[in-house]
Amino acid sequence: MLYVSGRVGREPWLHTFTADPKEVAQLRRMLKLRLILWGLPDHVDAAQICVSELVTNVIQHVGEGTPTKLRMEVSELHLRLEVEDPDPRVLPTLLAANSNLESGRGMALVDAMTDHRWGVILRADSKVVWCELAVEAATCSRSSGPRVTRAEAIFELYGSWSSPRGRATAGRGSLLDRAAAAEAAIEVMADVLHWLRAHGHDPGDVLDRAQTHFEAEIGGVA
């Protein structure tokens, strides 16, 4: 179960895992949620592809079950992704994307998507393969507040995983469009009201209190 915290900053994110084909899908989901919370939904697709290729390289050339680390951080101009494994001897190979050989084509895709911004850091007992995606400064610095960010993440998860209609209307690499997001918000609130009633709470009273909090916060901002 994924948990969306009340406040998520943009501190570097580190995740340790075991390189395995089944782990890639989970990594993609975690990466997607993290980027949405960071306010970078438009970078989800490219980041997922890059991480998938880097982890697949570890699986194919170092071996399944390899202890691996994924690190992600965002600066003013770039989103940086790093995949670390314990074998400094096996280096990634870059081949032309139209090559008949399978090995190296993944790195060609990473190379193209990152505009050649990738490399390898060799250490005594490990290596780090990194790549960077361009991020507009305005997008990176934009913030709508923790409540709006949290709501967007909930709508994305709710619409994509809980509602077949939401899956159909979700944009590629972006949050749900406004109409679909509004529908997702209604469904979320309706489900919460049902939950409150089932657990002995007064839904109307909770709505009134939430409205009071909302108006107080809006008034404070104004």
Side-chain angles (χ1 to χ4, degrees), residues 73-220:
E73 65 179 347
V74 61
S75 64
E76 185 177 356
L77 297 177
H78 293 95
L79 172 67
R80 185 180 176 94
L81 304 164
E82 299 180 352
V83 173
E84 180 179 358
D85 70 73
D87 193 341
R89 300 167 300 173
V90 181
L91 301 179
T93 303
L94 177 62
L95 297 178
N98 59 358
S99 171
N100 292 327
L101 298 176
E102 291 297 326
S103 177
R105 295 179 64 184
M107 290 310 301
L109 181 58
V110 171
D111 182 68
M113 299 196 70
T114 61
D115 194 24
H116 315 300
R117 293 187 64 90
W118 70 275
V120 182
I121 301 173
L122 294 179
R123 297 172 177 167
D125 55 356
S126 68
K127 73 173 177 291
V128 175
V129 183
W130 61 270
C131 63
E132 292 181 337
L133 297 167
V135 174
E136 293 182 7
T139 301
C140 189
S141 61
R142 182 178 58 203
S143 175
S144 300
R147 288 191 182 276
V148 174
T149 299
R150 180 171 60 191
E152 289 176 344
I154 291 173
F155 295 161
E156 173 72 10
L157 294 174
Y158 202 91
S160 297
W161 296 356
S162 302
S163 169
R165 185 174 182 179
R167 284 194 297 270
T169 57
R172 177 177 176 83
S174 63
L175 296 174
L176 300 175
D177 60 36
R178 292 184 178 182
E183 291 183 7
I186 293 171
E187 293 298 322
V188 169
M189 289 187 284
D191 285 350
V192 170
L193 294 177
H194 279 291
W195 183 92
L196 290 168
R197 182 179 180 183
H199 287 79
H201 300 285
D202 182 352
D205 178 61
V206 174
L207 279 177
D208 289 341
R209 291 163 58 189
Q211 182 72 17
T212 299
H213 280 293
F214 171 72
E215 291 176 352
E217 291 179 4
I218 292 298

